[in-house]
Amino acid sequence: MTGTTPQAELTDGFHLVIDALKLNGIDTIYGVAGIPITDLARLAQAEGLRYFGFRHEQSAGNAAAIAGYLTKKPGICLTVSAPGFLNGLVALANATTNCFPMILISGSSDRAIVDLSQGDYEELDQMNAAKPFAKAAFRVNRPQDIGIGIARAIHAALSGRPGGVYLDLTAAVLSATLDVTAANKSLVKVVDAAPSQIPSPEAVARALSLLASAKRPLIVLGKGAAYAQADKDIRSFIEATGIPFLPMSMAKGLLPDSHPQSVAAARSFAIGEADVVMLIGARLNWLLSHGKSPLWPESTQFIQLDIAPTEIDSNQPIAAPVVGDIQSSISALLAATLKSGKIHAGADWLKAIEQHKQKNIERMAARLKAEPNPMNFSSALRAVRDVLVNKPEINIVNEGANTLDFARNIIDMYEPRKRLDSGTWGVMGIGMGYAIAAAVETGKPVIAIEGDSAFGFSGMEIETICRYHLPVVILVLNNGGIYHGDKAGSLPSPTGFIANARYDKLIEAFGGTGYHVTDTAGLTNALIDALAAGRPALIDCVIDPTAGTESGHIQNLNPKSALVN
């Protein structure tokens, strides 16, 4: 009598992906299901991962990107092959530009056919297409390499300057089977994916020596400082030195905007007069006029805290580079500052700043006091500000042209990482993806303050918001156009929309609550009611169609023809 050999227990690529993610503490996936990753999404949800299905891959990718920013873990976006991958690639490129850790995982077609360009279903060499837009790109061709592939993606996304990583999983590798014992051995638990990078003592001493010599010092906080979650030490350093600080948009709230050392209300004056500027997690890119005149004096000396040595001297000479991670760098600077006690902002400098702040604050207050009919950006956002002033826990997502510019200046932030906006590229379309991830990752309410044009890029995700019953309130500032509305009776212009559109009706189709408001009292009541309900809502806020300027505050970047007909 012959015995039968027991069959080995098998697993497959789908389960290996899930096991590898869970092993590394990743519990959430944002994606759009379809060939060849439908079963991966189903199985991930069945095995305890949170899966949030979107209507468009770009929004899913944006959600993953901002999840990475908020959690310091790579956000995961899952897409189908070719066109779906390309949709997600836009978000991956934006994540890389903004230094958000994210992994775009896409299924792909048969390598043998793709590599010979024989016309496979959704044929595309996705890995090589992703490389120019990602920090790194990998392809897994064997199931036993899935664990290594995910580990490499995590390391690449988090180490050094964070960014977007692409991971290509072929249909064949997902469905391939493997012995469970061998499969378990192939999994990798990542250890210390983002190790501390300690700045040299010489760099710290050089920076503090230059800062001590300054007569008009200024600190600029970027979103890299917010990402670092070194909140306590950054605040301690600023308060110990008394140096005025200027928060970039997504750094608002690291210290409250109401903090006496904030120079946000005298930004141009502070930049134009500072002799030594310390950049903490901020880059001298277009958002800071590249550190050049006429905004900046040619004599300005810069100290820059950045994890990437290649960032140093990228636009202006950096007199005192401090290369290291923000937490280690600011901790070293704080310890040396407290020991020496030599760095203080001068009284004359602080007095001059305060005088300019008060003038600008009074000018702003007068503008915000007005009650035009119909509303304009200022009066509508004043009403929003007043509702939110005692609700610092609420996440604010903000995009648009004028909507972005006005909201950034009018609505104060009091806690870090609560303002999420268009970022380094100034891109439209991040709104609903960011709002969904902010609600999911923080468990706190979200208000998405949207221009009507910006909302259109991702507006269908209101169905996603309703499907998952997320506490997201969308405020659409509706002036009937990209910058402003068209004149009544005129042909549609390149920047005009349908007048009197009712965006509130859209969310009602999916079971959410819609509000239509035409004055500040109605807006105030609607926002209070929507936030108290804690369920999906959209407020269609009608403002003057003539309100707003073309390209908002960056008109200089939008050239106009010099020819006159």
Side-chain angles (χ1 to χ4, degrees):
M1 182 181 243
T2 58
T4 58
T5 303
Q7 288 188 335
E9 186 180 355
L10 299 177
T11 188
D12 59 23
F14 293 111
H15 289 86
L16 275 170
V17 172
I18 296 162
D19 291 343
L21 293 174
K22 291 172 70 174
L23 181 65
N24 285 287
I26 294 172
D27 61 4
T28 306
I29 297 173
Y30 302 95
V32 177
I35 298 172
I37 49 84
T38 307
D39 247 17
L40 180 54
R42 285 199 192 105
L43 291 166
Q45 188 177 62
E47 296 194 18
L49 274 71
R50 298 187 298 179
Y51 179 85
F52 292 90
F54 281 68
R55 303 301 292 265
H56 194 281
E57 293 89 353
Q58 185 175 322
S59 291
N62 285 327
I66 208 66
Y69 169 77
L70 291 169
T71 66
K72 298 185 75 174
K73 298 192 301 184
I76 305 297
C77 176
L78 181 65
T79 81
V80 302
S81 50
F85 152 78
L86 290 172
N87 287 339
L89 186 59
V90 175
L92 187 73
N94 191 51
T96 302
T97 298
N98 281 281
C99 311
F100 298 158
M102 167 191 170
I103 302 173
L104 173 62
I105 300 176
S106 295
S108 62
S109 299
D110 190 321
R111 295 301 322 151
I113 300 175
V114 172
D115 289 346
L116 282 172
S117 299
Q118 292 178 312
D120 201 8
Y121 170 75
E122 294 191 347
E123 177 181 298
L124 183 67
D125 185 354
Q126 295 168 199
M127 183 181 73
N128 285 311
K131 283 181 178 179
F133 307 104
K135 187 180 175 187
F138 307 103
R139 178 183 292 128
V140 178
N141 290 299
R142 306 184 305 170
Q144 59 266 40
D145 293 331
I146 287 173
I148 287 289
I150 288 177
R152 293 202 68 187
I154 292 171
H155 277 288
L158 291 175
S159 61
R161 173 172 284 174
V165 176
Y166 175 62
L167 186 63
D168 189 287
L169 300 177
T170 65
V173 82
L174 288 169
S175 60
T177 58
L178 189 66
D179 175 79
V180 165
T181 302
N184 290 338
K185 289 180 180 179
S186 74
L187 297 176
V188 177
K189 182 174 176 58
V190 172
V191 177
D192 202 10
S196 298
Q197 295 188 29
I198 312 298
S200 70
E202 294 82 6
V204 172
R206 182 171 54 233
L208 292 178
S209 176
L210 179 56
L211 204 57
S213 71
K215 291 182 172 58
R216 299 178 302 281
L218 176 67
I219 292 172
V220 177
L221 300 172
K223 66 177 175 293
Y227 171 80
Q229 299 189 19
D231 311 340
K232 182 179 178 182
D233 282 353
I234 289 172
R235 180 166 187 160
S236 295
F237 179 78
I238 289 172
E239 292 182 338
T241 61
I243 295 174
F245 71 91
L246 173 66
M248 300 300 288
S249 187
M250 283 181 59
K252 284 164 63 73
L254 268 172
L255 287 80
D257 281 339
S258 56
H259 196 284
Q261 287 171 247
S262 172
V263 298
R267 181 181 189 271
S268 296
F269 173 78
I271 287 175
E273 296 294 325
D275 59 352
V276 174
V277 176
M278 174 178 277
L279 304 163
I280 303 179
R283 293 175 281 182
L284 282 176
N285 55 23
W286 73 277
L287 290 164
L288 286 170
S289 298
H290 306 283
K292 298 176 181 178
S293 62
L295 182 63
W296 298 85
E298 293 184 2
S299 59
T300 304
Q301 291 184 284
F302 292 99
I303 302 164
Q304 187 165 20
L305 277 63
D306 203 285
I307 199 166
T310 52
E311 183 63 34
I312 307 303
D313 300 331
S314 60
N315 274 295
Q316 286 283 65
I318 302 300
V322 181
V323 177
D325 69 272
I326 297 297
Q327 177 66 75
S328 298
S329 298
I330 200 68
S331 294
L333 289 163
L334 175 61
T337 298
L338 294 176
K339 185 176 180 180
S340 71
K342 293 180 180 179
I343 299 174
H344 299 286
D348 289 345
W349 174 229
L350 297 179
K351 181 179 179 181
I353 288 175
E354 187 62 26
Q355 288 174 345
H356 279 80
K357 280 175 60 176
Q358 289 308 313
K359 287 180 183 177
N360 292 338
I361 289 170
E362 289 169 9
R363 191 179 300 120
M364 171 76 85
R367 187 166 73 241
L368 294 180
K369 188 183 293 185
E371 283 284 1
N373 183 21
M375 289 182 284
N376 60 19
F377 288 99
S378 294
S379 61
L381 290 167
R382 181 208 69 221
V384 175
R385 178 202 65 182
D386 292 348
V387 171
L388 297 181
V389 69
N390 293 317
K391 296 178 172 60
E393 75 282 0
I394 291 178
N395 299 283
I396 294 179
V397 174
N398 186 204
E399 63 174 339
N402 294 280
T403 300
L404 178 74
D405 293 334
F406 279 91
R408 180 178 59 238
N409 294 331
I410 292 172
I411 299 176
D412 288 338
M413 305 304 299
Y414 303 95
E415 294 183 2
R417 293 168 297 281
K418 292 295 186 179
R419 178 180 167 82
L420 312 172
D421 65 28
S422 300
T424 304
W425 265 352
V427 68
M428 300 297 107
I430 52 88
M432 298 303 99
Y434 279 18
I436 290 167
V440 168
E441 302 294 345
T442 70
K444 300 293 184 181
V446 179
I447 175 170
I449 303 174
E450 303 276 310
D452 50 358
S453 172
F455 173 69
F457 284 82
S458 62
M460 194 60 187
E461 300 303 341
I462 57 176
E463 187 275 331
T464 309
I465 292 168
C466 291
R467 187 176 356 126
Y468 292 104
H469 308 289
L470 297 174
V472 174
V473 178
I474 303 149
L475 172 64
V476 178
L477 295 183
N478 180 3
N479 69 346
I482 292 178
Y483 306 119
H484 46 70
D486 288 336
K487 293 181 180 178
S490 65
L491 291 173
S493 73
T495 59
F497 298 151
I498 290 175
N500 305 312
R502 291 291 300 270
Y503 292 99
D504 52 307
K505 298 297 184 182
L506 293 174
I507 202 164
E508 292 175 356
F510 303 112
T513 303
Y515 301 85
H516 178 72
V517 299
T518 58
D519 56 35
T520 54
L523 174 55
T524 298
N525 292 334
L527 186 55
I528 290 171
D529 183 68
L531 290 172
R535 61 190 306 273
L538 189 152
I539 303 171
D540 178 41
C541 178
V542 179
I543 63 172
D544 189 341
T546 67
T549 57
E550 188 157 317
S551 305
H553 290 179
I554 52 174
Q555 298 174 44
N556 61 302
L557 300 180
N558 201 358
K560 292 186 178 298
S561 172
L563 302 179
V564 178
N565 293 330

